[in-house]
Amino acid sequence: MQYQIGDILSVQLFAHTHHFFVYIGNKEAIEWGTWDGTSWIGGKGHIFRKKLFQVGSEYKWLGNSGDLKEITLEKRTGVTKELIEKRVKLVTPGIDYHLGHRNCEHFAYFLTGNMPRSDQSIWHMFTDHDPFTTKPMINNFEQLREALLRSKHCGPVGLSRGDFENAVFVSQLDDGYYIYHLSHPLGGQHLYVTTFEKAENFESSYNSIVLAYFGAFFGRGEIFSIVRQLRGC
């Protein structure tokens, strides 16, 4: 099959999982993945260009293991290469890759001027559709408090000096509050809000905690989503 610029293509990786990319002409595709190719949930995203292999009259995609995979035409969008390159420049530098909410399928639709979407992400826990040009969506304490109160699977957590000490800085809100996040070894997610910066004085920061929330199971996803809204990625 002869592909056209703007075609959304895919290859099957395993089971129901497919890798998506966009054809930009001259036997070349543009794709979205992780720097190391393995950090599917979390890790920095990476835009890269890859040549397709021509075998007879067909094009094939070269996998990481060296095997040539059959390509499926998912959608013929008809967009120009100029629009695709313009959309590439819109992507926020250093934005996170995520298998559920910002994967290669989301990217292919974003790149061709469509609303980012991923039908295959319904197989995973995290299915929110953050844009690739995202900016912080939670900017002050009241917005954060409302987001936590809306969460269905999170709630207040008892304070622990050890847990707070291991929490990492997320952001400082416009009204001066400091946010810290902990991925607990047992899987739970903690979020702390303070009025004093931990880097300056741990005890003062610990004593200034005004909110401490915890999420497990589905609550993990809610905390992760809030952290992304705080970081803008």
Side-chain angles (χ1 to χ4, degrees), residues 21-24 28-32 45-49 79-95 107-113 132-134:
F21 44 95
V22 177
Y23 187 69
I24 56 174
E28 189 176 31
I30 189 164
E31 313 180 17
W32 167 261
H46 175 48
I47 300 172
F48 56 100
R49 299 163 194 262
V79 301
T80 64
K81 188 174 181 179
E82 289 73 21
L83 183 139
I84 293 172
E85 296 294 354
K86 183 182 293 185
R87 301 286 283 182
V88 168
K89 294 178 181 178
L90 290 176
V91 176
T92 302
I95 202 167
F107 179 73
Y109 280 95
F110 169 81
L111 211 58
T112 53
F132 285 83
T133 56
T134 186

Side-chain angles (χ1 to χ4, degrees), residues 142-174:
E142 190 58 32
Q143 290 175 344
L144 175 57
R145 181 175 174 275
E146 289 178 359
L148 289 168
L149 290 175
R150 284 196 306 268
S151 61
K152 298 179 180 179
H153 305 283
C154 300
V157 64
L159 297 183
S160 162
R161 277 182 167 76
D163 286 343
F164 181 64
E165 185 174 9
N166 291 326
V168 298
F169 176 75
V170 175
S171 66
Q172 183 180 12
L173 300 178
D174 291 347

Side-chain angles (χ1 to χ4, degrees), residues 112-233:
T112 53
N114 294 280
M115 177 67 68
R117 52 177 280 258
S118 177
D119 293 335
Q120 65 182 340
S121 72
I122 63 173
W123 296 97
H124 306 284
M125 177 181 286
F126 310 112
T127 57
D128 55 311
H129 294 228
D130 290 352
F132 285 83
T133 56
T134 186
K135 295 180 180 179
M137 291 174 281
I138 295 178
N139 299 289
N140 57 57
F141 178 78
E142 190 58 32
Q143 290 175 344
L144 175 57
R145 181 175 174 275
E146 289 178 359
L148 289 168
L149 290 175
R150 284 196 306 268
S151 61
K152 298 179 180 179
H153 305 283
C154 300
V157 64
L159 297 183
S160 162
R161 277 182 167 76
D163 286 343
F164 181 64
E165 185 174 9
N166 291 326
V168 298
F169 176 75
V170 175
S171 66
Q172 183 180 12
L173 300 178
D174 291 347
D175 46 8
Y177 289 89
Y178 297 90
I179 314 301
Y180 299 90
H181 172 237
L182 170 69
S183 286
H184 200 276
L186 297 179
Q189 304 299 311
H190 295 203
L191 199 66
Y192 301 96
V193 183
T194 74
T195 59
F196 199 90
E197 187 178 10
K198 188 166 68 168
E200 290 190 16
N201 186 289
F202 173 82
E203 284 299 324
S204 296
S205 183
Y206 179 77
N207 291 329
S208 75
I209 294 174
V210 294
L211 277 181
Y213 263 67
F214 168 82
F217 300 105
F218 292 109
R220 295 176 69 246
E222 292 179 327
I223 294 292
F224 279 136
S225 179
I226 290 172
V227 169
R228 288 195 299 271
Q229 292 177 68
L230 287 161
R231 292 176 57 200
C233 64

Side-chain angles (χ1 to χ4, degrees), residues 19-40:
H19 177 60
F20 285 72
F21 44 95
V22 177
Y23 187 69
I24 56 174
N26 196 28
K27 303 179 184 179
E28 189 176 31
I30 189 164
E31 313 180 17
W32 167 261
T34 56
W35 281 104
D36 58 10
T38 60
S39 301
W40 288 359

Side-chain angles (χ1 to χ4, degrees), residues 9-13 17-21 61 69-72:
L9 310 174
S10 75
V11 292
Q12 185 172 359
L13 299 181
T17 303
H18 291 73
H19 177 60
F20 285 72
F21 44 95
W61 183 84
K69 294 184 175 291
E70 300 287 339
I71 297 175
T72 299

